[in-house]
Each structure stands twice: as C-alpha cells, then as structure tokens.
Amino acid sequence: MMQTVRRMELKADQLYKQKIIRGFCHLCDGQEACCVGLEAGINPTDHLITAYRAHGFTFTRGLSVREILAELTGRRGGCAKGKGGSMHMYAKNFYGGNGIVGAQVPLGAGIALACKYNGKDEVCLTLYGDGAANQGQIFEAYNMAALWKLPCIFICENNRYGMGTSVERAAASTDYYKRGDFIPGLRVDGMDILCVREATRFAAAYCRSGKGPILMELQTYRYHGHSMSDPGVSYRTREEIQEVRSKSDPIMLLKDRMVNSNLASVEELKEIDVEVRKEIEDAAQFATADPEPPLEELGYHIYSSDPPFEVRGANQWIKFKSIS
Amino acid sequence: MAAVSGLVRRPLEQVSGLLRRRFHRTVPAALQVTVREAINQGMDEELERDEKVFLLGEEVAQYDGAYKVSRGLWKKYGDKRIIDTPISEMGFAGIAVGAAMAGLRPICEFMTFNFSMQAIDQVINSAAKTYYMSGGFQSVPIVFRGPNGASAGVAAQHSQCFAAWYGHCPGLKVVSPWNSEDAKGLIKSAIRDNNPVVVLENELMYGVPFEFPSEAQSKDFLIPIGKAKIERQGTHITVVSHSRPVGHCLEAATVLSKEGIGCEVINMRTIRPMDIETIEASVMKTNHLITVEGGWPQFGVGAEICARITEGPAFNFLDAPAVRVTGADVPMPYAKILEDNSVPQVKDIIFAIKKTLNI
C-alpha cells in the first residue's frame, strides 16, 4: 500500500508539472507510514478526518487511485465529480480533505461525539499537522473531547515544517504529544509503519474503552515542499532531505525488515512494485483522458434532498439547473 | 394544548351530566403563544420525533437557555440530547458540524449571532460548502439558531444583523421568522431539512404573544423554507420585510389605511433561497416597492431585493424607484435616543411609503 501511495504522489507531481493538475497539490511522499499504518490499526467502520495533505488517506480509506487522480485532474470520474479537487475528497467514514488549517479538528471531535452518541464502539482519528497544532480551535476541541470523554484520537502529523516555518520557529513547545495537557499523549516514530500501527491499536483500544480522547504525535517527514509551488529548499537543506531519504525512508525500512526476516524476497517485492506501477499508469491514463464534468452540472449539489431549482450564472441571463 | 382544554371541560361535563344536558360546544378561545414558546415547542416536538436530533450551545441545558428558549428541554431529554458547552464557539460549532457529517441532526445555538462570527468559518467553509465540494456525497443536516440583530440597550458588539452575511452564501439556507407561527413552522422545517440552515431569531420578539392558528398546533406543522407570506393585502405599494420590522410595517399599514393608502405587506420568512416571485407578483400589481430591514444598508437584504426587481419582469411595472428602509449606517449606539433612531421606526416606514407614492 505504501508503494502505491508513493507512486501515486510521484505521478501527481508529474501531472502537475505537465499542467494537467492545477491549483493546490500537497503531496505526502515520505509520510506513507502514517496513512498506511493508521489504517492498519483501525477498522473500516472507524472514522478518519484530516487536512489538505490527504491523497494518501483517501486511498487508504478505500478510494481507488483512478478516482483520486481523476479528481486531481478535475474530471467527471473524480471522486467528487471534479467539484472538489485535491483538498476536498470524501469517502465512506472519511471526511476529507479540509482546506482550512485546523478546522478539521473540531469536526473530528464532532464525529467522535456521534460515535459515542450512537453507542457503536467506533473511534474517530482526527489528524492535523505541526503547523495546525497552534490553532486555538484545536485546544477548544481538546477541552470538549476530554470533558465529554469523546472517542477521539487526536493525531499530530509532525513533518517538522508548517509550510516554510520549522517547528522551533512556530511553537513555544514542540512536544506536540504533550500539548493536549490533560489528554494523555504518545510520541510515535512516524517513519516506522509497524510502530504507527501498534500505537494506533493501543490508542484505539484506549478510546473504545470509554476513557476519553488520546493524542498521538507521529514524527515524520515530507520529501516534497509544502505544495507543488514550493521547491522546499529555501527553509531546509537538501542534505537534510537526502539524509531522511537514505536513513529513514518508510518503504525502505519496511522492505529491509521484511527481507532480513525472510518474510519476503527481493523478487516478490519487485513484483509488487511492477503491479503498482501498472495500476498507477492505468489510473493516470484514465485521469488524463476522462472528460471534464459537463458544464450543465455547474449548479448541481448546492442542496441535498431538494427539488431542482435555478442557480444564477455570471449574469442574470445565464442560469444553471441545480439538482441535489 | 388539547390537554389544557380537557382539564377545563371535565368539571363542566360533570356538572352538565348532573343536569342531564350537554353544553353546546363553542369554539375554544384563540390560543396565544409567544415566539419563545413556539420555538421551544418546535424543538421539543422534533427532539421527540427523531432520536438523532440534539441541541448544543452555551447555557442551553441547566440554565434553560440564556433567553429561556430551551426551557424544560434538559429536564425532559437529559444530558445526552441537550448539551451545555464551554464558551468555545469555533470549537462547538465545528463539533456540531462534524456530528452532522457523521449522521446526527444537531441544533447548534449561538447565544447571539454576534458570537457566530467566532465560528463563521465552520458555518460557511465546513457546513455550507461541503455538499457541493464533495460532488453531492457528504451532506450536513445542521441548524444554527439564535437571536439576531438589534436588542435593547446592548450596544454595538451585541446588535448586528447577519441576514446579509449568511444570505450571501450558496449552500446555506437562511430563515428569519417574525411571529410565533413563523418561528414554530420554520424551526421544524429547518430541523427536518438535510442542509445547513441558519435560523435568525429576534430577542425582542421572544416574549411577544401571537394568536396560534389551529394548524400550527399540529406536531407536523411545517412552513416551507423559501416561501414568503403576504401578511396584508393591498393595492398601492408593496412593503417587503423580515423579522421584527414586519410588525412595524403592519402598524404603518394600519395608520396609512386610514388615509386610504393600501399597503401589501410581505413577510419574507426566508432570506435564502429568496422568494422573489412573490415580491415580483406584488410589485406588478402595486407598481411601488419599499423594503424594510433592521440591518445596515450597504450590501443588505433590501439592496438584493432592489437589484433583483431591477433585473426582472417587475421593473417595467415600477412607477417610482424602489426604496430601502434600514438600520442606520452606524455601529449601534447605547443611549436610548440614539438607539431608537438607529433602527427603522414606524414613522420612517410611513415617510418612505409616502415619498415613494409621491404623497
């Protein structure tokens, strides 16, 4: 799965440079152990919400690479029919894909409230980055989650930089796992997928037992800049990026472990890579060839469950039909 | 309500039984219900009807509501369904939106809509836009409610009208009840609606009693969102308003009717989606239009109505420019004389009507 996420993100990079993807594009290569490890530690009936660096999670929560790439290229076959783009992808029990930094955290606490309200033993993984960790609304969410014992796992994906601002320049305390104050926190090696998985299992069990929220800090790293418009080298050194790549790459770490413990041979892993490449190529083909959404659908999906009505276009004579 | 009349009837029946005669059944006295009671009833009925509905906000539970609108609900439904929140608007509005995304039907109360500014990102970016951004995948069945606009003596930071701000955004529905019937029917429709609905109540109207028609006493009484009501028919001028000023318009209409001027008073009930057709049909009949609102003039509800009338078929029927009556273009002052003159008064409405009719 990590390999799929890696190749998918690299393909997105390629498509962006070819101007087939436009606007914002925040890639998560380097952080694969987080999305794949988290998913391995929970059930499909649990819930997950994150911010805008969301392509990896969109995949691990069940959407296909095809739907994801087609959404990035703004086509009708995209998971949001081309209406959302990179930052607004949704799936069952996956609430995006959120563009406003930090806003997803109270949303996640609310989803956890629904889990508790429905009494179904489900938990909500609520992710945010080291940059978002300083948002006030996160502390409001911590307070209410702890007060009401919501089954919410707050997860700080600390990749050391909030856009171009390193953690030391943004936070008076960079111990993000402690920022929850009265909420117990775990600090986790986010480059080691097994570590992430086990920590997640622990955290999920904690929440399911009704003890309330828990916090996890995943220490990870992104190879790309903040987004496709950021080369990512004005605020950090190429040496640093290289060092992480050679010593802590999550895919390499798992590969080495598996080969050294004879759990898989190098050839088997190569086969996986070949399959992944094919899947990505297929998906990219689709994402490039699929047509854009029809103009008539510009006004669709304003309201849910409503009879059709008219939406105004750029002037009073242009009208679009709106269907739920 | 039926229980109350039953209690009154039974002793009478016992007496009449003795007399071996039945009293002729007269029409029960008109039921008077305040706007506060109407909203309370509406919420109570919807809480009872659907397990997924719940209320959260500051002081809604044990305090019975800052303005007592949720009185009795916590006693009846308990902690799970009536939730007191800390003073964290952005946080609890976000929690409410998240709960709605996960399938519950929250009613999120802002103590006043002035405080909703702290949370406005959650209302607009997390609630209003989500169904569209997700290509119709993720709906957000949430109600944001609370008092809006001017109160009495609460000064600038507590008196702003948000009808224009929320009415601006696609994906939101915005309603503004005037009387008790409006309040009950609209809050029930809002709760049953699968979209984010902003319900702009009015603190000064909470204690005002209105006659409650019998249909409004039903548990399934709903007022459709997106439909205005003609409160008074008239042929000389169309007067469009929402919320408390509707009452002032009706007062003005009564005064003017003695001078032979017939005002058609339209209660918008819904700000978005706006029922422009009812306004157009009226203007095509009366040939004159004024709009009346409590909010500021620039980019306000009246401005939008005038723009749409100009763009539409009713323009050619206007015998005079459309005119707006609004709150004064200042932050709300405190001193009574200043405050009184910062909101539309009946005399201002009458003046505007006469000017428009060139009288």
Side-chain angles (χ1 to χ4, degrees):
Chain A
M1 262 190 137
M2 288 203 285
Q3 190 67 345
T4 310
V5 175
R6 172 69 58 93
R7 294 238 167 264
M8 177 178 74
E9 295 293 81
L10 293 179
K11 177 57 71 175
D13 169 285
Q14 210 178 56
L15 291 171
Y16 195 92
K17 287 175 176 150
Q18 295 175 302
K19 298 201 199 293
I20 301 174
I21 295 179
R22 52 190 207 94
F24 286 135
C25 190
H26 308 87
L27 301 176
C28 67
D29 49 313
Q31 300 183 206
E32 295 86 355
C34 295
C35 53
V36 182
L38 284 171
E39 188 64 38
I42 55 169
N43 307 321
T45 47
D46 290 318
H47 307 261
L48 194 148
I49 188 171
T50 184
Y52 49 78
R53 202 174 301 281
H55 309 156
F57 292 101
T58 315
F59 175 71
T60 53
R61 281 265 95 188
L63 290 191
S64 65
V65 182
R66 264 166 84 99
E67 289 172 288
I68 296 172
L69 288 184
E71 186 59 34
L72 289 176
T73 55
R75 307 303 165 94
R76 63 178 68 176
C79 54
K81 306 193 173 96
K83 299 290 257 308
S86 167
M87 297 186 293
H88 308 296
M89 301 190 195
Y90 297 80
K92 185 163 195 296
N93 296 343
F94 175 59
Y95 304 82
N98 288 278
I100 307 296
V101 173
Q104 77 276 12
V105 178
L107 293 181
I111 296 163
L113 187 144
C115 290
K116 182 170 182 182
Y117 193 100
N118 292 327
K120 282 207 209 123
D121 244 9
E122 294 162 4
V123 298
C124 182
L125 274 59
T126 302
L127 285 98
Y128 54 96
D130 49 281
N134 299 312
Q135 271 267 316
Q137 57 186 317
I138 293 186
F139 295 88
E140 294 187 11
Y142 287 159
N143 183 37
M144 286 183 270
L147 257 183
W148 301 332
K149 291 204 163 25
L150 303 180
C152 186
I153 307 177
F154 293 103
I155 301 170
C156 179
E157 245 183 318
N158 177 5
N159 60 18
R160 306 196 211 166
Y161 298 93
M163 219 164 150
T165 308
S166 69
V167 291
E168 305 81 49
R169 294 203 303 128
S173 161
T174 56
D175 288 330
Y176 293 103
Y177 68 105
K178 288 188 190 165
R179 300 284 289 278
D181 190 5
F182 35 77
I183 297 180
L186 303 170
R187 192 173 62 195
V188 178
D189 180 354
M191 304 307 261
D192 179 342
I193 189 177
L194 296 179
C195 203
V196 175
R197 185 187 70 185
E198 290 312 301
T200 308
R201 282 188 178 154
F202 175 86
Y206 180 91
C207 281
R208 277 186 239 280
S209 69
K211 296 201 186 87
I214 192 169
L215 208 156
M216 266 172 39
E217 176 189 342
L218 303 179
Q219 295 193 311
T220 183
Y221 199 83
R222 55 165 161 81
Y223 296 142
H224 267 85
H226 162 71
S227 69
M228 286 306 299
S229 38
D230 170 26
V233 287
S234 64
Y235 49 86
R236 55 184 189 172
T237 63
R238 287 183 206 275
E239 288 76 44
E240 182 188 274
I241 306 173
Q242 243 330 93
E243 212 198 320
V244 177
R245 241 191 231 282
S246 54
K247 299 223 183 91
S248 322
D249 183 287
I251 298 177
M252 175 196 80
L253 287 179
L254 181 66
K255 205 184 256 182
D256 289 348
R257 223 193 212 135
M258 287 177 77
V259 168
N260 293 339
S261 337
N262 283 324
L263 288 169
S265 68
V266 178
E267 292 76 38
E268 282 173 310
L269 295 177
K270 274 220 171 69
E271 264 173 58
I272 294 180
D273 195 22
V274 167
E275 274 176 44
V276 167
R277 276 181 198 270
K278 187 171 183 314
E279 187 185 346
I280 305 299
E281 259 327 299
D282 268 351
Q285 280 278 36
F286 174 70
T288 317
D290 200 38
E292 285 190 298
L295 186 57
E296 299 80 68
E297 290 187 13
L298 186 146
Y300 285 16
H301 312 125
I302 295 284
Y303 295 133
S304 166
S305 332
D306 264 18
F309 65 101
E310 264 181 358
V311 161
R312 184 190 167 110
N315 63 40
Q316 72 203 62
W317 297 281
I318 300 175
K319 299 219 189 289
F320 293 97
K321 191 165 183 198
S322 185
I323 291 184
S324 280
Chain B
M1 301 305 130
V4 171
S5 55
L7 277 171
V8 170
R9 262 205 348 256
R10 249 175 256 125
L12 280 173
E13 266 174 29
Q14 286 171 349
V15 171
S16 70
L18 282 174
L19 294 173
R20 292 246 184 310
R21 266 216 279 156
R22 289 199 141 268
F23 280 110
H24 177 68
R25 217 151 157 260
T26 51
V27 176
L31 191 60
Q32 293 275 313
V33 175
T34 62
V35 172
R36 173 184 288 116
E37 287 163 351
I39 302 171
N40 186 287
Q41 251 181 56
M43 288 199 288
D44 191 355
E45 288 172 8
E46 295 306 302
L47 282 158
E48 196 177 74
R49 175 181 179 270
D50 185 348
E51 261 289 301
K52 299 204 282 295
V53 176
F54 71 99
L55 171 66
L56 93 172
E58 293 155 11
E59 312 303 341
V60 295
Q62 297 190 17
Y63 198 88
D64 270 337
Y67 299 98
K68 307 297 180 212
V69 178
S70 53
R71 183 190 281 132
L73 296 179
W74 175 66
K75 267 220 176 91
K76 183 171 176 185
Y77 295 102
D79 285 329
K80 179 180 174 184
R81 311 215 29 225
I82 312 292
I83 303 175
D84 272 337
T85 64
I87 307 174
S88 317
E89 275 76 8
M90 199 165 184
F92 72 70
I95 283 180
V97 175
M101 288 180 175
L104 297 184
R105 304 189 75 91
I107 307 168
C108 177
E109 177 178 303
F110 290 118
M111 196 181 281
T112 75
F113 267 96
N114 300 286
F115 315 142
S116 74
M117 269 202 282
Q118 309 242 295
I120 202 163
D121 174 68
Q122 298 288 5
V123 179
I124 306 302
N125 280 320
S126 303
K129 298 179 184 173
T130 295
Y131 192 67
Y132 187 87
M133 291 192 299
S134 66
F137 182 84
Q138 178 67 65
S139 65
V140 187
I142 188 169
V143 173
F144 297 101
R145 53 159 290 274
N148 175 62
S151 178
V154 296
Q157 293 178 340
H158 287 73
S159 307
Q160 188 170 333
C161 176
F162 288 83
W165 284 33
Y166 288 118
H168 190 54
C169 303
L172 268 191
K173 294 190 182 179
V174 182
V175 299
S176 183
W178 164 57
N179 62 10
S180 306
E181 187 188 332
D182 288 355
K184 183 172 176 188
L186 288 173
I187 190 78
K188 284 169 74 76
S189 292
I191 294 169
R192 294 191 195 189
D193 201 305
N194 286 336
N195 297 287
V197 184
V198 170
V199 182
L200 302 171
E201 299 160 9
N202 187 296
E203 201 241 312
L204 295 173
M205 295 304 292
Y206 281 153
V208 180
F210 288 91
E211 197 173 297
F212 224 44
S214 51
E215 320 83 74
Q217 296 171 40
S218 147
K219 287 197 173 166
D220 279 310
F221 172 65
L222 300 172
I223 287 181
I225 295 178
K227 204 79 193 68
K229 180 179 180 203
I230 299 178
E231 296 286 349
R232 183 194 176 112
Q233 304 248 6
T235 49
H236 295 126
I237 184 165
T238 300
V239 181
V240 185
S241 185
H242 73 95
S243 189
R244 184 158 178 267
V246 172
H248 299 325
C249 294
L250 289 170
E251 269 184 66
T254 304
V255 170
L256 289 168
S257 67
K258 302 197 179 81
E259 298 178 38
I261 300 170
C263 301
E264 181 141 292
V265 178
I266 298 180
N267 172 5
M268 289 175 72
R269 287 180 159 178
T270 299
I271 305 292
R272 184 176 187 112
M274 192 185 288
D275 181 3
I276 197 68
E277 288 82 24
T278 298
I279 302 173
E280 277 173 341
S282 177
V283 171
M284 289 177 4
K285 181 176 82 171
T286 67
N287 312 123
H288 298 86
L289 172 65
I290 75 159
T291 68
V292 183
E293 68 197 282
W296 292 319
Q298 272 194 224
F299 311 105
V301 175
E304 175 66 15
I305 295 173
C306 291
R308 288 214 210 175
I309 292 291
T310 306
E311 289 177 343
F315 174 73
N316 290 312
F317 289 77
L318 281 173
D319 286 343
V323 155
R324 299 171 294 163
V325 178
T326 68
D329 202 9
V330 293
M332 184 67 70
Y334 168 68
K336 189 159 199 318
I337 183 175
L338 300 181
E339 186 182 61
D340 285 348
N341 285 280
S342 299
V343 295
Q345 301 173 70
V346 177
K347 65 166 174 70
D348 304 318
I349 301 172
I350 292 175
F351 187 89
I353 290 174
K354 288 188 166 173
K355 268 282 198 190
T356 308
L357 291 171
N358 208 16
I359 294 170

